[in-house]
Amino acid sequence: MDYWVEWLRNAEDVLKYIRETQIGNIDRAAAIIASSISKKHVCYLFGSGHAVIPVMEMFPRYGSFLGFIPIVDTALSTFYRIVGDLGYPQFDYVENAPGYGERIVENYRVHEEDCGVVFSHSGVTVVSVDVALALKSRGAKVIAVTSLRHSNAVEAKHPSGLKLHQIADVTIDTGVPLGDTSIKVEELGSYVGPLSTLAFVIIANLLLLKTLEKLVSIGFKPAILPVRRLDPEADTKMSEILREYRKLLATHLNYY
């Protein structure tokens, strides 16, 4: 058995699923994001564990643009030490602690014109549901990126009894199988070959590009993060972007 061949086949199936079934949802989500950015407001981005990766893929990143505020919590994203301080046991506890997501969102001044994208493979991670509920309660629209195949097969873990897609205004389904891993190693009785990060990153880039298309179509020119090797004015542009980003944060951080 060539595991890598099977994984590539499974990855191609995920890409095909997204392309054939989710472009409409991605377009609806991009319309929400474009509306927020065109009004000089923001789209918050959140994920925990490996779902932090698509957050960083969307912003800050070469080719991305102003209008996003990534929420990357240290305890939820640096569990790679496995044991000891900031290890897996600490991460696992915090990720499943009701109320922690609300505390995270309390750091921000969320407006009705804002929106948020929450990435969660399972759709039942307590902190992700917490963040979605906190954004929603403040009037912001919520976009969920999750696996409905997984979420519909498991019980809700949040005290509200809700799953991420039940809160969202728009849900983008990754099509990733239950448990994320896609290959069973019969000899070991174990599963390998996760697909959620791949699906997340594909959807993150499609959201960026769809949003950019909509902004350009209405004459709104977002500040795109430049690439030094391709733009001789990259440093000057980046300095201006940082100034503008400080202004966005000033109106979206909760100092009180």
Side-chain angles (χ1 to χ4, degrees), residues 71-91:
I71 303 176
V72 180
D73 183 78
T74 300
L76 295 171
S77 58
T78 56
F79 57 93
Y80 48 80
R81 297 178 186 175
I82 306 300
V83 295
D85 184 40
L86 290 180
Y88 174 78
Q90 182 176 327
F91 156 76

PDB file of all heavy atoms in Angstrom, residues 71-91:
ATOM      1  N   ILE A  71      -7.002  36.560  15.328  1.00  0.00           N
ATOM      2  CA  ILE A  71      -7.007  36.310  16.768  1.00  0.00           C
ATOM      3  C   ILE A  71      -6.270  34.989  16.989  1.00  0.00           C
ATOM      4  O   ILE A  71      -6.813  33.912  16.736  1.00  0.00           O
ATOM      5  CB  ILE A  71      -8.434  36.232  17.332  1.00  0.00           C
ATOM      6  CG1 ILE A  71      -9.202  37.520  17.029  1.00  0.00           C
ATOM      7  CG2 ILE A  71      -8.402  35.964  18.837  1.00  0.00           C
ATOM      8  CD1 ILE A  71     -10.662  37.490  17.473  1.00  0.00           C
ATOM      9  N   VAL A  72      -5.021  35.088  17.406  1.00  0.00           N
ATOM     10  CA  VAL A  72      -4.187  33.900  17.611  1.00  0.00           C
ATOM     11  C   VAL A  72      -3.755  33.877  19.075  1.00  0.00           C
ATOM     12  O   VAL A  72      -2.877  34.637  19.490  1.00  0.00           O
ATOM     13  CB  VAL A  72      -2.958  33.906  16.678  1.00  0.00           C
ATOM     14  CG1 VAL A  72      -2.111  32.658  16.902  1.00  0.00           C
ATOM     15  CG2 VAL A  72      -3.398  33.978  15.221  1.00  0.00           C
ATOM     16  N   ASP A  73      -4.397  33.029  19.845  1.00  0.00           N
ATOM     17  CA  ASP A  73      -4.146  32.953  21.286  1.00  0.00           C
ATOM     18  C   ASP A  73      -2.973  32.006  21.552  1.00  0.00           C
ATOM     19  O   ASP A  73      -2.937  30.889  21.038  1.00  0.00           O
ATOM     20  CB  ASP A  73      -5.401  32.439  21.993  1.00  0.00           C
ATOM     21  CG  ASP A  73      -5.248  32.398  23.493  1.00  0.00           C
ATOM     22  OD1 ASP A  73      -5.350  33.469  24.116  1.00  0.00           O
ATOM     23  OD2 ASP A  73      -5.022  31.296  24.024  1.00  0.00           O
ATOM     24  N   THR A  74      -2.020  32.449  22.345  1.00  0.00           N
ATOM     25  CA  THR A  74      -0.798  31.668  22.576  1.00  0.00           C
ATOM     26  C   THR A  74      -1.096  30.275  23.113  1.00  0.00           C
ATOM     27  O   THR A  74      -0.566  29.275  22.607  1.00  0.00           O
ATOM     28  CB  THR A  74       0.126  32.409  23.556  1.00  0.00           C
ATOM     29  OG1 THR A  74       0.471  33.680  23.008  1.00  0.00           O
ATOM     30  CG2 THR A  74       1.409  31.612  23.793  1.00  0.00           C
ATOM     31  N   ALA A  75      -1.947  30.173  24.107  1.00  0.00           N
ATOM     32  CA  ALA A  75      -2.226  28.873  24.724  1.00  0.00           C
ATOM     33  C   ALA A  75      -2.929  27.919  23.771  1.00  0.00           C
ATOM     34  O   ALA A  75      -2.882  26.697  23.954  1.00  0.00           O
ATOM     35  CB  ALA A  75      -3.076  29.066  25.980  1.00  0.00           C
ATOM     36  N   LEU A  76      -3.560  28.469  22.733  1.00  0.00           N
ATOM     37  CA  LEU A  76      -4.308  27.640  21.788  1.00  0.00           C
ATOM     38  C   LEU A  76      -3.520  27.333  20.516  1.00  0.00           C
ATOM     39  O   LEU A  76      -4.031  26.667  19.625  1.00  0.00           O
ATOM     40  CB  LEU A  76      -5.613  28.332  21.403  1.00  0.00           C
ATOM     41  CG  LEU A  76      -6.631  28.513  22.526  1.00  0.00           C
ATOM     42  CD1 LEU A  76      -7.779  29.400  22.058  1.00  0.00           C
ATOM     43  CD2 LEU A  76      -7.163  27.160  22.996  1.00  0.00           C
ATOM     44  N   SER A  77      -2.302  27.832  20.439  1.00  0.00           N
ATOM     45  CA  SER A  77      -1.558  27.676  19.187  1.00  0.00           C
ATOM     46  C   SER A  77      -0.119  27.204  19.350  1.00  0.00           C
ATOM     47  O   SER A  77       0.540  26.905  18.350  1.00  0.00           O
ATOM     48  CB  SER A  77      -1.555  29.006  18.419  1.00  0.00           C
ATOM     49  OG  SER A  77      -0.987  30.033  19.206  1.00  0.00           O
ATOM     50  N   THR A  78       0.378  27.102  20.574  1.00  0.00           N
ATOM     51  CA  THR A  78       1.789  26.730  20.756  1.00  0.00           C
ATOM     52  C   THR A  78       1.935  25.491  21.644  1.00  0.00           C
ATOM     53  O   THR A  78       2.749  25.456  22.564  1.00  0.00           O
ATOM     54  CB  THR A  78       2.596  27.894  21.366  1.00  0.00           C
ATOM     55  OG1 THR A  78       1.969  28.294  22.596  1.00  0.00           O
ATOM     56  CG2 THR A  78       2.638  29.079  20.429  1.00  0.00           C
ATOM     57  N   PHE A  79       1.146  24.469  21.346  1.00  0.00           N
ATOM     58  CA  PHE A  79       1.188  23.242  22.149  1.00  0.00           C
ATOM     59  C   PHE A  79       2.209  22.243  21.631  1.00  0.00           C
ATOM     60  O   PHE A  79       2.226  21.089  22.047  1.00  0.00           O
ATOM     61  CB  PHE A  79      -0.203  22.594  22.176  1.00  0.00           C
ATOM     62  CG  PHE A  79      -0.755  22.286  20.827  1.00  0.00           C
ATOM     63  CD1 PHE A  79      -0.578  21.041  20.253  1.00  0.00           C
ATOM     64  CD2 PHE A  79      -1.451  23.248  20.114  1.00  0.00           C
ATOM     65  CE1 PHE A  79      -1.082  20.761  18.994  1.00  0.00           C
ATOM     66  CE2 PHE A  79      -1.966  22.974  18.864  1.00  0.00           C
ATOM     67  CZ  PHE A  79      -1.770  21.730  18.300  1.00  0.00           C
ATOM     68  N   TYR A  80       3.084  22.688  20.724  1.00  0.00           N
ATOM     69  CA  TYR A  80       4.055  21.781  20.109  1.00  0.00           C
ATOM     70  C   TYR A  80       5.123  21.301  21.082  1.00  0.00           C
ATOM     71  O   TYR A  80       5.890  20.400  20.762  1.00  0.00           O
ATOM     72  CB  TYR A  80       4.732  22.448  18.899  1.00  0.00           C
ATOM     73  CG  TYR A  80       5.233  23.845  19.148  1.00  0.00           C
ATOM     74  CD1 TYR A  80       6.424  24.082  19.803  1.00  0.00           C
ATOM     75  CD2 TYR A  80       4.485  24.947  18.737  1.00  0.00           C
ATOM     76  CE1 TYR A  80       6.876  25.349  20.045  1.00  0.00           C
ATOM     77  CE2 TYR A  80       4.930  26.234  18.971  1.00  0.00           C
ATOM     78  CZ  TYR A  80       6.131  26.440  19.624  1.00  0.00           C
ATOM     79  OH  TYR A  80       6.573  27.713  19.870  1.00  0.00           O
ATOM     80  N   ARG A  81       5.186  21.883  22.283  1.00  0.00           N
ATOM     81  CA  ARG A  81       6.113  21.356  23.288  1.00  0.00           C
ATOM     82  C   ARG A  81       5.627  20.013  23.829  1.00  0.00           C
ATOM     83  O   ARG A  81       6.382  19.295  24.468  1.00  0.00           O
ATOM     84  CB  ARG A  81       6.253  22.351  24.442  1.00  0.00           C
ATOM     85  CG  ARG A  81       6.858  23.685  24.028  1.00  0.00           C
ATOM     86  CD  ARG A  81       6.920  24.629  25.213  1.00  0.00           C
ATOM     87  NE  ARG A  81       7.366  25.953  24.797  1.00  0.00           N
ATOM     88  CZ  ARG A  81       7.432  27.000  25.603  1.00  0.00           C
ATOM     89  NH1 ARG A  81       7.066  26.871  26.882  1.00  0.00           N
ATOM     90  NH2 ARG A  81       7.837  28.175  25.167  1.00  0.00           N
ATOM     91  N   ILE A  82       4.363  19.722  23.629  1.00  0.00           N
ATOM     92  CA  ILE A  82       3.707  18.464  24.004  1.00  0.00           C
ATOM     93  C   ILE A  82       3.544  18.339  25.515  1.00  0.00           C
ATOM     94  O   ILE A  82       2.449  18.114  26.017  1.00  0.00           O
ATOM     95  CB  ILE A  82       4.445  17.217  23.451  1.00  0.00           C
ATOM     96  CG1 ILE A  82       4.624  17.375  21.934  1.00  0.00           C
ATOM     97  CG2 ILE A  82       3.660  15.954  23.773  1.00  0.00           C
ATOM     98  CD1 ILE A  82       3.335  17.510  21.166  1.00  0.00           C
ATOM     99  N   VAL A  83       4.633  18.446  26.284  1.00  0.00           N
ATOM    100  CA  VAL A  83       4.539  18.358  27.744  1.00  0.00           C
ATOM    101  C   VAL A  83       5.167  19.602  28.354  1.00  0.00           C
ATOM    102  O   VAL A  83       5.890  20.347  27.708  1.00  0.00           O
ATOM    103  CB  VAL A  83       5.248  17.092  28.288  1.00  0.00           C
ATOM    104  CG1 VAL A  83       4.544  15.841  27.793  1.00  0.00           C
ATOM    105  CG2 VAL A  83       6.727  17.056  27.882  1.00  0.00           C
ATOM    106  N   GLY A  84       4.891  19.822  29.652  1.00  0.00           N
ATOM    107  CA  GLY A  84       5.420  20.997  30.320  1.00  0.00           C
ATOM    108  C   GLY A  84       4.590  22.229  30.018  1.00  0.00           C
ATOM    109  O   GLY A  84       3.470  22.150  29.492  1.00  0.00           O
ATOM    110  N   ASP A  85       5.141  23.399  30.341  1.00  0.00           N
ATOM    111  CA  ASP A  85       4.437  24.660  30.148  1.00  0.00           C
ATOM    112  C   ASP A  85       4.032  24.834  28.687  1.00  0.00           C
ATOM    113  O   ASP A  85       4.838  24.629  27.777  1.00  0.00           O
ATOM    114  CB  ASP A  85       5.335  25.816  30.584  1.00  0.00           C
ATOM    115  CG  ASP A  85       4.625  27.151  30.500  1.00  0.00           C
ATOM    116  OD1 ASP A  85       3.442  27.205  30.845  1.00  0.00           O
ATOM    117  OD2 ASP A  85       5.263  28.128  30.085  1.00  0.00           O
ATOM    118  N   LEU A  86       2.763  25.197  28.457  1.00  0.00           N
ATOM    119  CA  LEU A  86       2.191  25.337  27.121  1.00  0.00           C
ATOM    120  C   LEU A  86       2.225  24.031  26.332  1.00  0.00           C
ATOM    121  O   LEU A  86       2.282  24.030  25.103  1.00  0.00           O
ATOM    122  CB  LEU A  86       2.894  26.450  26.327  1.00  0.00           C
ATOM    123  CG  LEU A  86       2.633  27.887  26.799  1.00  0.00           C
ATOM    124  CD1 LEU A  86       3.393  28.877  25.937  1.00  0.00           C
ATOM    125  CD2 LEU A  86       1.150  28.216  26.797  1.00  0.00           C
ATOM    126  N   GLY A  87       2.159  22.923  27.029  1.00  0.00           N
ATOM    127  CA  GLY A  87       2.114  21.620  26.377  1.00  0.00           C
ATOM    128  C   GLY A  87       0.688  21.208  26.050  1.00  0.00           C
ATOM    129  O   GLY A  87      -0.269  21.961  26.246  1.00  0.00           O
ATOM    130  N   TYR A  88       0.536  19.989  25.558  1.00  0.00           N
ATOM    131  CA  TYR A  88      -0.773  19.516  25.112  1.00  0.00           C
ATOM    132  C   TYR A  88      -1.819  19.493  26.231  1.00  0.00           C
ATOM    133  O   TYR A  88      -2.963  19.917  25.995  1.00  0.00           O
ATOM    134  CB  TYR A  88      -0.654  18.121  24.483  1.00  0.00           C
ATOM    135  CG  TYR A  88      -2.008  17.540  24.155  1.00  0.00           C
ATOM    136  CD1 TYR A  88      -2.708  17.952  23.019  1.00  0.00           C
ATOM    137  CD2 TYR A  88      -2.616  16.610  25.006  1.00  0.00           C
ATOM    138  CE1 TYR A  88      -3.965  17.456  22.737  1.00  0.00           C
ATOM    139  CE2 TYR A  88      -3.875  16.105  24.732  1.00  0.00           C
ATOM    140  CZ  TYR A  88      -4.549  16.526  23.597  1.00  0.00           C
ATOM    141  OH  TYR A  88      -5.793  16.034  23.330  1.00  0.00           O
ATOM    142  N   PRO A  89      -1.500  19.007  27.448  1.00  0.00           N
ATOM    143  CA  PRO A  89      -2.545  18.981  28.486  1.00  0.00           C
ATOM    144  C   PRO A  89      -3.130  20.363  28.773  1.00  0.00           C
ATOM    145  O   PRO A  89      -4.343  20.503  28.959  1.00  0.00           O
ATOM    146  CB  PRO A  89      -1.813  18.407  29.711  1.00  0.00           C
ATOM    147  CG  PRO A  89      -0.711  17.588  29.130  1.00  0.00           C
ATOM    148  CD  PRO A  89      -0.258  18.356  27.929  1.00  0.00           C
ATOM    149  N   GLN A  90      -2.273  21.369  28.792  1.00  0.00           N
ATOM    150  CA  GLN A  90      -2.742  22.735  29.039  1.00  0.00           C
ATOM    151  C   GLN A  90      -3.608  23.210  27.873  1.00  0.00           C
ATOM    152  O   GLN A  90      -4.689  23.779  28.074  1.00  0.00           O
ATOM    153  CB  GLN A  90      -1.536  23.663  29.206  1.00  0.00           C
ATOM    154  CG  GLN A  90      -1.889  25.106  29.517  1.00  0.00           C
ATOM    155  CD  GLN A  90      -0.644  25.944  29.774  1.00  0.00           C
ATOM    156  OE1 GLN A  90       0.351  25.447  30.300  1.00  0.00           O
ATOM    157  NE2 GLN A  90      -0.699  27.208  29.403  1.00  0.00           N
ATOM    158  N   PHE A  91      -3.135  22.973  26.656  1.00  0.00           N
ATOM    159  CA  PHE A  91      -3.900  23.345  25.459  1.00  0.00           C
ATOM    160  C   PHE A  91      -5.263  22.659  25.450  1.00  0.00           C
ATOM    161  O   PHE A  91      -6.297  23.289  25.202  1.00  0.00           O
ATOM    162  CB  PHE A  91      -3.104  22.970  24.201  1.00  0.00           C
ATOM    163  CG  PHE A  91      -3.957  22.760  22.981  1.00  0.00           C
ATOM    164  CD1 PHE A  91      -4.486  23.843  22.290  1.00  0.00           C
ATOM    165  CD2 PHE A  91      -4.233  21.478  22.528  1.00  0.00           C
ATOM    166  CE1 PHE A  91      -5.281  23.654  21.166  1.00  0.00           C
ATOM    167  CE2 PHE A  91      -5.017  21.284  21.406  1.00  0.00           C
ATOM    168  CZ  PHE A  91      -5.550  22.374  20.721  1.00  0.00           C
TER     169      PHE A  91
END
